[in-house]
């Protein structure tokens, strides 16, 4: 904690930081291209923190464009305080962590490179206390600190193909890197190993600063219960052992590591978050690929890149309606390229503008003290 806190001295978190102008951004992205010149470089790709943040800013812009941003500074500030407290205690406290609330009923959360953490309004509606929020944000923060988000570039076939091109085509290469990263984060999700690592280290992070570590499991259990009805209605498989295995793993970790923090802070949560959840059957969706910029570009990714055996994991991804292996197989069988996932394909709001909120180290300290956190 001392180490983490020290990194915040004189610093601040800028919530929903305004992204650079388009021209500047492209110029900055061009510099990332310098790190991705050859196939050899790509296999041994080293991305600096600065490059990672620029890539993350471009990916975040696409996510904001796709889902819109809740234009509410009080909500953003609250999420930034919880997220900032966790980020301070993480292994990468010095990143300019940014927490963005997306304007959609779908239940989801996305971590982009460089410390951009997105959580949907639908997720906040389903969450019931601050420990659950800390569990979800902790999970997403670990995707960033463990660089799961960066590894997606290295795995991308389209980026690898680009890597054999000359630098004169580096702009196209960079555009592909952004698209590949977005596609991995939003469309496909991370692999099971990465999800388990995020669960385990995320709850540890929450527990370390005083939150009840059962928060993440409590939220996932409620999400699972919420989706039960639609599961039967859709005639999809009746149970989803992967989710149960995930919940078991979380429980075992809490016991094995003797995590014993107790703060849940339901009252404080309700003071700031008053959304009500939308049943999954009532979530308005958009057709995959028609969601504007991002949907169309995601479609351009080479098909072979889709992992064949890997389920799409994530906050909502291990659930029956979240498009697991079986659902994908069924959809393919019916001739559709991509099934409609009410969470991922949920309609978004029309305003992609960030909501800038400054949260200083002193604000986080006061927030933690008020909540009896460590
Ligand atoms: Zn995840």
């Amino acid at each position: 904690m001392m180490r983490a806190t020290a990194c915040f001295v004189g610093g601040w978190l800028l919530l929903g930081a305004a992204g650079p102008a388009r021209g500047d951004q492209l110029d900055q992205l061009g510099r990332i291209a310098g790190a991705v010149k050859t196939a050899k470089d790509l296999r041994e790709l080293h991305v600096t923190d600065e490059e990672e943040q620029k890539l993350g800013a471009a990916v975040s812009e696409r996510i904001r464009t796709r889902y819109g941003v809740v234009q509410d500074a009080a909500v953003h500030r609250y999420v930034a305080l919880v997220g900032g407290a966790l980020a301070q205690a993480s292994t990468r406290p010095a990143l300019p962590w940014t927490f963005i609330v997306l304007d959609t009923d779908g239940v989801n959360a996305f971590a982009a490179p460089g410390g951009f953490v997105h959580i949907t309004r639908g997720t906040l509606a389903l969450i019931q206390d601050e420990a659950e929020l800390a569990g979800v944000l902790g999970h997403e923060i670990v995707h960033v600190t463990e660089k799961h988000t960066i590894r997606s570039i290295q795995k991308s076939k389209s980026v690898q193909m680009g890597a054999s091109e000359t630098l004169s085509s580096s702009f196209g290469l960079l555009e592909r890197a952004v698209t590949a990263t977005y596609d991995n984060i939003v469309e496909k999700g991370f692999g099971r190993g990465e999800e388990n690592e995020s669960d385990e280290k995320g709850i540890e992070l929450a527990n370390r600063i005083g939150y009840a570590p059962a928060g993440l499991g409590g939220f996932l259990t409620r999400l699972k219960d919420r989706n039960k009805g639609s599961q039967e209605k859709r005639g999809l498989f009746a149970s989803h052992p992967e989710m149960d295995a995930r919940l078991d793993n979380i429980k075992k970790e809490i016991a094995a590591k003797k995590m014993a923090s107790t703060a849940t802070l339901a009252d404080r949560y309700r003071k700031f978050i008053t959304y009500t959840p939308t049943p999954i059957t009532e979530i308005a969706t958009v057709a995959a690929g028609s969601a504007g910029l991002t949907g169309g570009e995601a479609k351009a990714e080479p098909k072979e890149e889709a992992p064949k055996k890997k389920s799409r994991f994530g906050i909502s991804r291990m659930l029956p309606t979240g498009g697991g292996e079986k659902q994908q197989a069924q959809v393919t069988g019916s001739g559709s390229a991509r099934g409609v996932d009410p969470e991922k394909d949920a309609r978004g709001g029309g305003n992609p503008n960030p909501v800038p909120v400054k949260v200083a180290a002193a604000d986080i300290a006061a927030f933690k003290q008020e909540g009896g956190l460590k």
Side-chain angles (χ1 to χ4, degrees):
M1 283 310 300
M2 289 306 292
R3 171 189 55 81
T5 304
C7 292
F8 270 80
V9 171
W12 42 267
L13 298 169
L14 179 59
L15 179 80
R22 189 81 185 162
D24 288 349
Q25 194 172 72
L26 296 181
D27 179 54
Q28 288 163 346
L29 287 173
R31 281 195 275 146
I32 303 176
V36 195
K37 279 178 204 156
T38 67
K40 183 173 181 292
D41 282 347
L42 203 266
R43 281 193 297 272
E44 298 162 5
L45 184 65
H46 175 72
V47 180
T48 68
D49 283 0
E50 191 190 3
E51 289 163 346
E52 185 187 338
Q53 283 159 38
K54 281 161 188 167
L55 176 65
V59 172
S60 177
E61 186 183 7
R62 289 200 189 183
I63 294 173
R64 287 190 279 107
T65 301
R66 166 62 183 83
Y67 293 104
V69 176
V70 167
Q71 299 294 308
D72 185 326
V75 166
H76 271 89
R77 184 176 169 81
Y78 175 64
V79 173
L81 284 165
V82 177
L86 291 161
Q88 274 188 342
S90 79
T91 55
R92 301 180 75 189
L95 283 181
W97 291 92
T98 306
F99 297 89
I100 298 156
V101 181
L102 298 172
D103 192 11
T104 177
D105 291 329
V107 175
N108 239 324
F110 308 109
F116 293 86
V117 174
H118 311 76
I119 184 167
T120 65
R121 179 167 43 69
T123 303
L124 294 180
L126 200 62
I127 284 174
Q128 288 187 351
D129 63 37
E130 205 172 292
E132 293 183 4
L133 176 60
V136 172
L137 294 178
H139 174 101
E140 298 302 321
I141 284 169
V142 173
H143 278 314
V144 176
T145 59
E146 298 305 316
K147 303 198 176 182
H148 300 158
T149 50
I150 287 295
R151 274 181 227 151
S152 61
I153 312 174
Q154 286 150 314
K155 287 181 206 158
S156 166
K157 287 235 176 1
S158 67
V159 175
Q160 283 170 19
M161 286 189 305
S164 63
E165 296 172 12
T166 63
L167 197 58
S168 63
S169 59
S170 65
F171 171 73
L173 172 60
L174 249 297
E175 282 287 285
R176 284 198 290 278
V178 172
T179 297
T181 305
Y182 173 92
D183 199 37
N184 271 294
I185 291 168
V186 176
E187 298 291 334
K188 293 177 194 136
F190 298 107
R192 178 180 214 151
E194 290 166 330
E195 290 303 333
N196 281 340
E197 183 176 25
S198 282
D199 281 350
E200 291 166 13
K201 291 182 176 171
I203 57 175
E204 236 184 312
L205 189 55
N207 177 71
R208 200 179 312 150
I209 63 169
Y211 288 113
L216 178 62
F219 166 72
L220 290 173
T221 302
R222 191 171 320 107
L223 183 56
K224 183 183 154 189
D225 289 346
R226 158 193 182 260
N227 294 359
K228 264 180 188 158
S230 71
Q231 180 182 325
E232 285 166 12
K233 205 171 177 179
R234 282 152 190 274
L236 296 178
F237 44 110
S239 67
H240 204 271
E242 281 166 347
M243 182 55 148
D244 291 333
R246 185 177 181 186
L247 290 168
D248 279 351
N249 186 50
I250 290 172
K251 275 184 196 154
K252 276 178 194 154
E253 280 291 307
I254 291 171
K257 303 253 170 72
K258 296 185 168 58
M259 299 182 205
S261 291
T262 56
T264 52
L265 300 170
D267 289 346
R268 181 157 78 174
Y269 188 79
R270 283 293 157 215
K271 197 172 131 194
F272 291 98
I273 307 296
T274 54
Y275 301 128
T276 50
T278 302
I280 192 160
T281 49
E282 290 172 25
I283 291 177
T285 57
V286 292
S290 68
L293 178 72
T294 50
E297 293 193 6
K299 253 185 152 179
E301 277 294 287
K303 241 190 165 173
E304 68 268 28
E305 200 186 324
K308 288 202 176 95
K309 294 214 161 168
K310 192 176 89 175
S311 295
R312 295 183 302 122
F313 286 78
I315 285 300
S316 67
R317 300 277 164 77
M318 296 184 76
L319 298 163
T321 48
E325 292 173 55
K326 291 181 192 176
Q327 186 190 26
Q328 282 177 341
Q330 183 172 324
V331 167
T332 304
S334 72
S336 172
R338 194 173 273 161
V340 172
D341 172 345
E343 317 287 25
K344 176 176 69 63
D345 299 323
R347 187 174 294 161
N351 191 339
N353 295 331
V355 177
V357 177
K358 276 190 181 180
V359 173
D363 297 327
I364 293 175
F367 181 77
K368 279 166 53 174
Q369 192 178 15
E370 183 200 67
L373 301 170
K374 297 173 200 167

